[in-house]
Amino acid sequence: MELEVVNVKYVGPATVKRLAEHGITSVQQLADMSVEALIALPGIGENTAPLIIASAQAMLAQSPQDDAIANIVLEDEVITPNTLSMDGAAIEVELVAAFERSLSTSILKKQAKQEKKAKKAAKQAQKDLKKATKKAAKKAEKVAKKDEKAVRKAKKHEKKAKKK
């Protein structure tokens, strides 16, 4: 799978264009964005932003980097006398197997970390939405009370006008 922004789930051609207008042209840039920063861009909603970021992060986690070989950490690998007596092909097979185990573990750990980060961002977005909804309800209640007061005042003036 190619790592292009157009291949990120929930990102269509119009969104790709908007992202490019704001300097976001790579999946890595998209994966590194905060939910708030992505929501700030026109046409990207509060519900979609965390999904886009999580999708970009998942794409990166599935794509091993070219320098992965240089960053291998062979955990729990032991060189035994048996390994030392193997011919070149057998050692290569053992090294490839160890590399694959290490790479798989590394990718799984990275995916888990990115999923946790995406869940946290989605939870924060929900919290922010709840807060905004509560604030809007409070403001509407305040306006309604003000309107009720104005109506009572108008009725009072109307009564006084009828008495005269």
Side-chain angles (χ1 to χ4, degrees):
M1 175 178 11
E2 286 190 46
L3 292 179
E4 294 181 20
V5 176
V6 73
N7 294 332
V8 175
K9 210 173 191 181
Y10 310 105
V11 175
T15 305
V16 169
K17 186 177 178 183
R18 273 189 232 109
L19 289 169
E21 288 171 357
H22 289 85
I24 300 149
T25 57
S26 74
V27 176
Q28 183 68 53
Q29 288 174 306
L30 197 53
D32 291 341
M33 288 187 76
S34 70
V35 174
E36 295 78 20
L38 193 54
I39 291 171
L41 300 180
I44 299 176
E46 293 176 353
N47 294 331
T48 309
L51 298 173
I52 291 172
I53 292 170
S55 178
Q57 291 171 343
M59 278 180 71
L60 291 174
Q62 291 174 356
S63 172
Q65 300 298 322
D66 291 337
D67 63 348
I69 294 172
N71 296 323
I72 291 177
V73 176
L74 299 177
E75 297 175 13
D76 300 326
E77 293 295 322
V78 179
I79 296 177
T80 63
N82 185 34
T83 307
L84 295 175
S85 66
M86 293 180 180
D87 66 352
I91 291 175
E92 185 176 342
V93 168
E94 284 296 315
L95 287 174
V96 168
F99 167 73
E100 288 174 349
R101 284 191 301 274
S102 177
L103 189 58
S104 294
T105 302
S106 175
I107 288 172
L108 290 174
K109 285 179 182 178
K110 189 173 182 179
Q111 279 179 325
K113 187 176 180 180
Q114 289 174 339
E115 286 172 9
K116 186 176 179 180
K117 190 176 179 180
K119 283 180 184 179
K120 186 176 179 181
K123 190 174 183 179
Q124 183 62 43
Q126 273 185 324
K127 190 176 178 181
D128 292 344
L129 179 61
K130 187 176 180 180
K131 187 177 179 180
T133 304
K134 197 173 186 178
K135 188 176 180 179
K138 212 174 198 180
K139 188 173 182 178
E141 186 179 314
K142 192 175 182 179
V143 168
K145 283 183 180 181
K146 191 175 181 180
D147 289 347
E148 285 177 21
K149 188 175 180 179
V151 168
R152 284 195 307 269
K153 194 173 184 178
K155 284 182 181 181
K156 191 175 181 180
H157 286 298
E158 191 179 298
K159 262 187 176 180
K160 277 186 179 182
K162 282 184 182 180
K163 281 187 180 179
K164 290 184 180 184

